Amino acid sequence: MMSHSCRKIIAAVLASAVLLPFAGCEKKAPVFDMEKGYIEAEDCLVKHSNTLNAFGFSGEKAVDLSDSDSSLSFNYNITSTSHYELDIDYGFSAGGTVSMFVNGAFYKKITFPGNGSHVTEIVTLKEGAGEISFKLQTGDSAVVLDKFSLRKSEHTVSLVVAPHEDDEILAFAGSIQKAKAAGDDVKVVLLTNGDYFGGDLGPVRMRESISALAQVGVEDTDVYFLGYGDLILKSIYESSDPNIVFTAPSGFDTTFADPSSNIYDYHTLCTGSGAKYSYTNFKSDLYNLIDTLRPDKIYTTSEAEWHPDHCYTFKIVRDIVESLNSEKNYHTTICSSVIHGEDLEWPGRLDTDASGNPEIVEFTNPFPSGGFDLDWGKVTKITLTDEEVLAKKRAIDEYDTQNYGRENFPGNSTFNYAFCRRDEFYWIYEY
């Protein structure tokens, strides 16, 4: 890692640094030496980029990813699937963003702060040979990469799979905070755009979710948007032809996000373009994301909910986990919670004291099992601290459209704030 004084020297030296173009086709991607524990950026397979010779870099060289076709990659070979901590040393700059891929699949966008020289990312590497690569895509910006280090991580990875923007907070804000406090990695994927009341609502709700998740410690680069249409998951799942393309109530039939805010749907990040609303595309996107991240726990909504998007979110997550379990020996835990129960008055309302502070109480059991195997004697509950509940409330504050509505639809703040309870609950399914 470079010192602050070294970075100042680099800033002055870069202007006169020697630029040596790499011819990627003349090199093979090197295999990361796990015993050595690190690899220099200039020793990787580099395409459409330059090497910088300047004092202060590890090995006194680094790679400048600034061209639109720039990429850098190295291979690995490990004996068992595991989570790793990937340390990335980078050059002093005004900051930058680059897309990371693992075995050709988009992993995440990595942001390099302008006031630092080192970032650490949790990455899941599968048994055998594989590749880690970095590319400049739409929305990315130049960065100077210096060195990569890998070590096994003692932390876990959790994935929250939510049907709509706000479900991730209503059901799991406390669980997210506890995982983050333990140093574990939390990813969130939103399946639909929540655009039932109009296509222009989708990007707004995406920005609201990013702001809400920031309140509980989740960075925007750990939030994925599948970008499918609101209220079509049941139709997609039950389709007689997996390739039939459905049109959402908003009129869209192709995944989208909010490029103006540098937010892109997952399929576009993987392939460069959106996906049609079909069962094949939907399941493939979510399958690939879960397979790439390999979370130790998956938090999602319940099959017992009356809302079809919530119910079918559970079904498709379950199907994918079962497929990965049998095909790739992937084992995980699904934690399934309820947001929309049979009792439409549940969970009541959030009461406040004279000062406007919430009176924090536990959930009541929301509804009978409704024919589903929801044994309230086997439910798992976690207890939230006052600060965790207040952080959850601040997160819910960010959902302006859902709390207060718009001209063509009403808000539901009473329902949303009622989830600021002392506890959160879910049923556990082991795979």
Side-chain angles (χ1 to χ4, degrees):
M1 183 185 300
M2 293 182 292
S3 67
H4 289 286
S5 59
C6 286
R7 295 200 303 271
K8 290 180 180 178
I9 293 173
I10 291 170
V13 172
L14 285 183
S16 59
V18 178
L19 302 181
L20 301 175
F22 278 118
C25 60
E26 298 175 359
K27 295 181 63 177
K28 291 184 178 180
V31 177
F32 189 94
D33 186 338
M34 299 303 293
E35 291 187 6
K36 186 178 180 181
Y38 72 90
I39 188 170
E40 301 286 355
E42 63 270 18
D43 294 331
C44 296
L45 175 60
V46 182
K47 297 180 180 179
H48 303 287
S49 303
N50 298 305
T51 183
L52 302 175
N53 292 336
F55 174 74
F57 290 124
S58 175
E60 298 190 0
K61 291 182 180 180
V63 173
D64 173 28
L65 292 186
S66 56
D67 186 273
S68 59
D69 295 322
S70 293
S71 68
L72 177 153
S73 61
F74 61 86
N75 293 329
Y76 66 84
N77 199 326
I78 58 175
T79 57
S80 61
T81 300
S82 185
H83 304 311
Y84 284 81
E85 293 179 27
L86 174 64
D87 296 323
I88 307 173
D89 292 350
Y90 64 99
F92 178 77
S93 66
T97 303
V98 67
S99 296
M100 181 170 74
F101 291 74
V102 179
N103 298 324
F106 176 81
Y107 201 87
K108 68 175 294 184
K109 284 184 178 287
I110 301 176
T111 300
F112 299 90
N115 59 351
S117 62
H118 175 90
V119 296
T120 299
E121 297 290 343
I122 302 294
V123 58
T124 304
L125 302 182
K126 299 174 190 174
E127 177 183 355
E131 180 191 67
I132 296 176
S133 59
F134 302 86
K135 304 174 184 178
L136 287 188
Q137 297 200 118
T138 302
D140 294 339
S141 53
V143 66
V144 176
L145 299 177
D146 186 13
K147 185 176 74 172
F148 306 95
S149 303
L150 267 179
R151 62 183 182 276
K152 273 196 173 183
S153 177
E154 297 179 355
H155 301 296
T156 64
V157 174
S158 295
L159 175 65
V160 178
V161 182
H164 314 103
E165 290 78 2
D166 70 359
D167 295 325
E168 73 282 10
I169 291 295
L170 299 183
F172 301 117
S175 299
I176 290 171
Q177 291 178 80
K178 290 186 181 299
K180 295 292 290 185
D184 296 329
D185 206 29
V186 178
K187 314 285 190 183
V188 178
V189 55
L190 289 307
L191 302 186
T192 79
N193 291 323
D195 59 354
Y196 181 80
F197 292 101
D200 58 341
L201 180 62
V204 177
R205 294 192 66 178
M206 293 176 194
R207 296 194 296 269
E208 289 176 347
S209 264
I210 287 175
S211 297
L213 285 163
Q215 294 290 337
V216 294
V218 179
E219 297 181 1
D220 59 350
T221 53
D222 285 323
V223 183
Y224 302 83
F225 296 95
L226 248 61
Y228 286 82
D230 196 359
L231 211 60
I232 65 169
L233 298 191
K234 181 177 186 293
S235 298
I236 284 178
Y237 185 84
E238 294 185 341
S239 172
S240 59
D241 180 347
N243 295 312
I244 289 177
V245 175
F246 292 87
T247 300
S250 61
F252 288 92
D253 66 359
T254 305
T255 56
F256 70 95
D258 184 19
S260 65
S261 300
N262 204 20
I263 303 172
Y264 301 88
D265 67 273
Y266 176 72
H267 198 88
T268 293
L269 290 170
C270 290
T271 69
S273 60
K276 293 294 184 180
Y277 293 167
S278 71
Y279 176 79
T280 295
N281 289 336
F282 180 77
K283 184 177 181 181
S284 175
D285 282 348
L286 189 55
Y287 181 102
N288 290 338
L289 182 59
I290 292 175
D291 187 32
T292 300
L293 299 178
R294 291 293 178 99
D296 303 279
K297 286 185 178 180
I298 298 177
Y299 296 88
T300 194
T301 48
S302 172
E303 185 181 14
E305 298 198 45
W306 63 258
H307 195 302
D309 279 350
H310 289 230
C311 169
Y312 283 85
T313 290
F314 176 86
K315 290 182 179 182
I316 196 163
V317 169
R318 177 201 60 202
D319 289 359
I320 288 171
V321 167
E322 289 178 349
S323 295
L324 286 169
N325 182 271
S326 62
E327 296 165 7
K328 301 187 179 183
N329 197 30
Y330 166 57
H331 299 279
T332 191
T333 299
I334 295 180
C335 301
S336 170
S337 191
V338 173
I339 296 176
H340 297 292
E342 288 181 3
D343 180 0
L344 298 183
E345 298 302 317
W346 182 88
R349 61 174 297 140
L350 177 68
D351 293 322
T352 57
D353 60 24
S355 300
N357 298 315
E359 295 182 359
I360 305 173
V361 299
E362 291 187 356
F363 281 106
T364 58
N365 293 354
F367 57 87
S369 63
F372 292 94
D373 185 20
L374 291 183
D375 185 344
W376 285 95
K378 296 181 180 179
V379 72
T380 296
K381 291 193 175 187
I382 63 169
T383 301
L384 278 58
T385 66
D386 285 358
E387 179 50 41
E388 287 168 342
V389 177
L390 292 176
K392 185 172 187 175
K393 181 178 181 298
R394 291 194 296 272
I396 294 174
D397 287 342
E398 299 293 337
Y399 296 109
D400 183 71
T401 60
Q402 303 315 295
N403 291 332
Y404 306 110
R406 286 294 184 266
E407 183 177 332
N408 60 334
F409 65 93
N412 201 357
S413 60
T414 299
F415 177 78
N416 296 337
Y417 284 110
F419 283 83
C420 295
R421 302 278 167 164
R422 175 63 67 196
D423 59 331
E424 288 180 351
F425 62 92
Y426 38 81
W427 286 265
I428 293 177
Y429 304 89
E430 302 283 356
Y431 291 89

